[in-house]
Every structure is written in C-alpha cells, then in structure tokens.
Amino acid sequence: MKEIVVSGIRPTGKLHLGNYFGAFKNFLTLQEQFDSYFFIADYHSLTTHPTPGDLRGSVKRVLAEYIALGLDPEKCTVYLQSDLPETAELYLFLNMNAYLGELERVTSFKEKVRSQPDNINAGLLTYPVLMAADILIHRGIKVPVGKDQEQHLEMARTFGNRFNRLYNVEIFPEPQAFSPSNVLVKVPGLTGGGKMSKSAGEADSIYLDEPADSLKKKIMKAVSDSGPAEPGSPKSAAVQNLFDLMGLVCAPDVISFFDEEHQKGSIRYGDLKKQLAQDMETFVAPLRDAINHTLANDKQLDEIAAFGAEKARKSAKKTMDAVRDAIGFKPKFEN
Ligand code: ADP
Ligand code: TRP
C-alpha cells in the first residue's frame, strides 16, 4: 500500500513564497508518488472570525492557487476541509483526551495569547487537535509542512498514540513532518523579522501572483544593513535573509558573486536587490498568469471541489467506522 500524504493551508490570504518553498513545492513532488490529500483548512481559519464573504473569497483563491501551481485532482485529492465534516467529528473525539496543560504549552498558542489577547478562543487552544484530526482521518504518515509546524506534528503523534492506547487499537500511524532533505525550510520575510508570513503585513511577503511593479518595489525596499564593517565581517540577519531569498531563485554563480563581494566588503546591496528582483520576477511571472487564469474559471473550481470531497469522504469513512467502533458507538445493537 502506498504511504499516505496529508497537508493543508489555511485560507487566510494569498499564498506567498514561504508557503510555496516551505510546503507547496513538496506537494507537487509527493502527488506523483503517494496517495496524497491536500486540503484548504477553512475550519482552522475561523479562529480569526472572517466574514462569510471574505472566507468564501479566500477559499476560492487558495483552491485556484493549488490548481494553477500544479496540483492535479486526478493524481491527488484536493478538497475543502469543511466538505469533510468527519474531520470535526474526529476533532470532537480527540478533544476528549487532549489536556489543557499540554495545549497551553504549545508555542503557536502562546504567541497568539501575546499577539491577540482580546480573542483567545477555544478554537485557538485546540488548533493542534483539529490539525491532528486532519491528518489522522486519512491515517497520514508524511506531512509536508514548514518548520513552524513541527510541534503541531508532535501533538498529532501524541493524540493518535493516546487514542490507540486508550482503546487498545492500532488505527492511527505516527505522522511525521516531511521535507525531501529532512531540513524543514524557512523562507525569511522582507522586513527583517523572522519568517515570511501573511500576518507580518503586505511589505513582508512576495505573493505568488505579485504584480511585477510591486514585486520590484518590495525587494528594493527590503531591509539590509549599512554594509560589512570590514572585509570578512559576518552577514547581519537581514542580509542573510536576502541571501536566503536569492538561494530560492538565483543561479549559484550569481549567489557566489555577491557572497564574494560581501566577503571583500565591497558589496552593493542595490545591485544585489536588482538582481534578486529580476530573478524573482522570472520565477513569479508564469505563476501569476496561471493563477489569474484559474481564478476566472468558477465552474472548473466547483467541479474540482466536488470531485475531491467525494474522494476525501471515502478515505475518511474507513477511518471513522473503525474509530466509532473502537469508542463503543454501535451502528446496530443486534448481533
Ligand atoms: P502564514 O504563516 O503566512 O499564515 P500558513 O500558516 O498558512 O502561512 O502556512 C501554510 C504552510 O506554509 C505551512 O506548511 C507552513 O509551514 C508553510 N510556511 C508558511 N510560511 C513559511 C515560511 N516563511 N517559510 C517556510 N514555510 C512556510
Ligand atoms: N496548521 C497549518 C498551518 O498553519 C495548516 C494545517 C491545518 C495543516 N491542518 C493541517 C497542515 C494538517 C498539515 C496537515 O500552516
């Protein structure tokens, strides 16, 4: 039997380079070899209370991006999380054995407590439980995600193992974060902070449909420093970020040229950024065209979602029959 791959992205905005290189690029290779499920995590996005209109628009956009960037609904299962309500059912069951102490210790939860003290809802606290349900419902093993999701994967293993142990079954395997080189990628943002993120504001991210002019502007404005203090000085964090971005789209000889210039202390960041902007535009241009084309085709998107939902339900049914049976919900009392 082929190993099962599961991953999802929350529809909280347009996809950016971090989503692409951290997660999506692996979706494309995995769909060729494994039984893969890629979904749009619309339940998860409810923690931030989107309006119905915004939610619908964002889900459509991510679905269009999935398809435009190369997911093939014939090769893998592409679906919306809310088209698989079995996920919510499994989430409910897993919640019964998820404990306040362990949920409160999750880094992403602690960050939210700090960053949005006015909206610490129970959905945020149990976010890792819902994510575990997403993965376990298909008995996923390989989960292509970025580095920031490692701790959530660890919790998915905990909840799956706990269920198996509690009910003396072997329903759930242990899912692992997947990256081809086993090094999880972190794409930095343009504003000098940590990872490129939708929540860090417009200027931080380069979107996969970024128009040519704003792409150039964003890169030219990216944070750098005032230049190496002397030849051989180490790169500052902001400059290392620029080199990391070059690593995604520039040829190796271009990168070593600027590396040497930095070593010598004679680097001109303006030149580096111009080159980065040019190579980034070459990378983004075909993606931008494909996304805009797919977004205009509502009928195709509806058909893809319906087709994927059906395939996802088939896989979920098998798991949920076993789960309900293990818990003691009997479909029939007569033997
Ligand atoms: P964001 O942080 O922008 O809200 P999501 O949390 O929706 O993005 O991330 C979706 C997927 O993309 C996850 O697998 C996540 O690990 C990956 N990802 C997001 N940002 C980055 C980044 N800057 N570098 C690497 N992977 C990332
Ligand atoms: N938590 C992930 C993120 O923020 C999105 C996600 C939800 C996910 N459910 C998942 C990723 C299941 C992989 C598998 O990026």
Side-chain angles (χ1 to χ4, degrees):
M1 210 177 75
K2 279 189 190 174
E3 281 182 315
I4 293 174
V5 171
V6 182
S7 194
I9 296 182
R10 284 175 308 142
T12 46
K14 304 177 186 200
L15 297 191
H16 53 65
L17 288 174
N19 301 134
Y20 189 86
F21 288 100
F24 197 83
K25 209 170 148 215
N26 297 327
F27 294 8
L28 295 178
T29 48
L30 291 167
Q31 70 170 343
E32 303 294 335
Q33 303 166 43
F34 298 103
D35 189 2
S36 304
Y37 296 84
F38 298 117
F39 64 95
I40 295 155
D42 50 2
Y43 284 153
H44 272 106
S45 67
L46 298 183
T47 57
T48 54
H49 306 161
T51 65
D54 284 350
L55 180 63
R56 230 172 277 133
S58 303
V59 169
K60 179 185 168 192
R61 172 165 274 283
V62 178
L63 179 61
E65 290 179 326
Y66 272 10
I67 301 305
L69 300 173
L71 284 190
D72 179 345
E74 298 289 339
K75 290 184 181 160
C76 64
T77 300
V78 178
Y79 69 99
L80 314 190
Q81 189 184 28
S82 59
D83 277 337
L84 193 64
E86 289 87 342
T87 307
E89 187 187 359
L90 183 56
Y91 165 62
L92 182 148
F93 297 158
L94 297 176
N95 265 331
M96 301 301 168
N97 300 296
Y99 293 94
L100 183 61
E102 62 189 344
L103 293 171
E104 278 177 335
R105 278 195 297 274
V106 175
T107 311
S108 59
F109 178 70
K110 288 197 284 195
E111 262 166 29
K112 294 283 186 228
V113 170
R114 233 176 294 126
S115 64
Q116 49 178 71
D118 296 336
N119 181 24
I120 313 298
N121 57 64
L124 276 178
L125 180 72
T126 56
Y127 184 107
V129 189
L130 181 55
M131 179 159 163
D134 290 327
I135 300 166
L136 297 174
I137 200 147
H138 301 299
R139 305 188 210 204
I141 294 195
K142 285 183 158 50
V143 186
V145 281
K147 192 163 181 47
D148 56 323
Q149 298 298 313
E150 251 173 344
Q151 195 183 21
H152 292 157
L153 259 294
E154 196 184 313
M155 305 214 50
R157 290 192 285 278
T158 301
F159 297 139
N161 284 333
R162 196 174 285 164
F163 187 96
N164 285 345
R165 213 172 335 109
L166 210 59
Y167 292 106
N168 200 17
V169 288
E170 282 182 31
I171 297 177
F172 301 121
E174 284 198 339
Q176 305 286 345
F178 172 84
S179 142
S181 53
N182 278 327
V183 183
L184 299 184
V185 173
K186 186 186 113 184
V187 177
L190 295 173
T191 50
K195 66 160 200 152
M196 182 175 286
S197 170
K198 289 166 209 148
S199 47
E202 278 283 313
D204 193 60
S205 296
I206 294 179
Y207 298 103
L208 298 174
D209 70 341
E210 189 79 48
D213 52 345
S214 65
L215 185 150
K216 187 156 183 217
K217 260 189 226 148
K218 283 182 180 182
I219 293 184
M220 295 313 287
K221 279 200 195 138
V223 176
S224 60
D225 60 23
S226 51
E230 51 189 10
S233 298
K235 294 185 186 107
S236 64
V239 169
Q240 185 57 50
N241 284 352
L242 291 174
F243 274 85
D244 288 351
L245 290 169
M246 280 207 294
L248 304 174
V249 294
C250 299
D253 58 328
V254 169
I255 301 171
S256 36
F257 168 78
F258 285 106
D259 227 355
E260 280 160 29
E261 288 294 301
H262 190 276
Q263 276 289 322
K264 286 192 262 173
S266 53
I267 190 160
R268 288 156 55 136
Y269 293 132
D271 291 349
L272 180 154
K273 288 179 179 175
K274 246 186 239 156
Q275 181 70 47
L276 176 60
Q278 198 181 321
D279 291 342
M280 197 64 91
E281 168 62 17
T282 307
F283 174 77
V284 166
L287 305 185
R288 180 169 60 218
D289 292 347
I291 291 168
N292 289 332
H293 176 79
T294 312
L295 265 176
N297 201 338
D298 287 357
K299 182 161 177 278
Q300 182 202 15
L301 292 174
D302 285 338
E303 285 166 3
I304 288 170
F307 181 57
E310 201 176 309
K311 286 204 281 178
R313 270 185 225 129
K314 225 181 252 170
S315 153
K317 182 172 184 324
K318 276 191 233 151
T319 309
M320 291 312 288
D321 284 350
V323 164
R324 289 187 200 112
D325 191 46
I327 293 177
F329 293 129
K330 278 202 92 184
K332 289 200 194 91
F333 290 108
E334 191 180 47
N335 272 319

